[in-house]
Amino acid sequence: MLDHAVRYAEERHWDVFPGTWLEAADGREFCSCEDTACAAPGAHAVRPDWANQATGSATAARRMWGKHPKASILLPTGRTFDALDVPESAGFLALARLERMGLPLGPVTSTPDRRMLFFVLPGGAAKAPALVRDLGWAPSSLDLVPRGQGHYVAAPPTRVGGMGPVQWVRRPTAENRWLPDTEELISPLAYACGREAVAARARR
């Protein structure tokens, strides 16, 4: 975990901070926070002032993970990137469409609870609701969650409970260092989330 955290800070200039981690006992895993009803075991902030703890310094990251080697890697949004969080099925549909259209893509993660997060330029989360309305959708009708200032996301290879690790669908590379703006991704993402919403209603 230390190596990954340092790499994010050093190579991508992303702020990082350590979260909780998983402990094992009696054949089961539980969150280091010791809350038996923890919603994100092993993958949430330890302190309420986590925003002040986040650092882009590789030296500071080494020091923090040196103290807690198993700690999850959390990345604050609203600084060097924002994220558009959608259901996994909608994410893969949008991804295929974006690739066919030749649109730029930044890094994309997949979480064990079947969500996908598309990294975009900072400030993109705030613009997303208005852009969705411009496309004819009510933001509340789509399962599209903009994550910007005040939020954070778990970075690979953080493990969440017994569900597995967060993974890269599109890894950070030299080619996708320059992130797309929300305007470039919102139409395929909203369309895919709209299809998902219609399908969910049909299944009821």
Side-chain angles (χ1 to χ4, degrees):
M1 298 302 282
L2 184 151
D3 289 345
H4 285 278
V6 168
R7 196 174 305 129
Y8 293 143
E10 210 164 48
E11 297 179 7
R12 299 298 291 200
H13 306 294
W14 289 342
D15 283 3
V16 298
F17 69 98
T20 54
W21 57 90
L22 293 173
E23 298 280 9
D26 302 323
R28 66 181 185 87
E29 290 183 313
F30 59 93
C31 187
S32 61
C33 74
E34 299 183 356
D35 180 357
T36 55
C38 181
H44 64 86
V46 175
R47 297 162 25 177
D49 65 339
W50 57 264
N52 298 326
Q53 189 186 16
T55 178
S57 162
T59 301
R62 284 191 182 92
R63 184 174 63 252
M64 289 191 291
W65 270 270
K67 293 177 183 175
H68 301 290
K70 296 190 293 184
S72 54
I73 303 171
L74 304 178
L75 310 173
T77 49
R79 299 187 182 188
T80 50
F81 66 87
D82 283 359
L84 302 176
D85 179 346
V86 300
E88 186 180 74
S89 54
F92 278 116
L93 178 63
L95 193 60
R97 193 175 181 200
L98 286 160
E99 288 175 340
R100 282 198 306 272
M101 296 166 71
L103 293 174
L105 274 170
V108 181
T109 62
S110 173
T111 65
D113 58 349
R114 302 179 68 85
R115 306 288 297 182
M116 282 175 66
L117 288 90
F118 290 72
F119 287 27
V120 295
L121 286 170
K127 294 189 284 188
L131 292 169
V132 167
R133 280 191 291 271
D134 288 346
L135 292 168
W137 300 92
S140 60
S141 71
L142 300 182
D143 188 2
L144 192 162
V145 183
R147 300 199 178 277
Q149 195 71 38
H151 292 259
Y152 59 81
V153 299
T158 294
R159 290 173 58 237
V160 185
M163 296 184 289
V166 179
Q167 301 181 66
W168 289 115
V169 178
R170 287 291 178 274
R171 291 182 173 277
T173 64
E175 288 71 32
N176 64 20
R177 180 172 294 278
W178 302 106
L179 299 175
D181 205 341
T182 295
E183 283 96 332
E184 298 172 278
L185 306 188
I186 199 68
S187 179
L189 285 172
Y191 170 77
C193 288
R195 282 192 53 171
E196 180 82 9
V198 170
R201 285 195 295 270
R203 288 194 293 268
R204 292 190 189 124

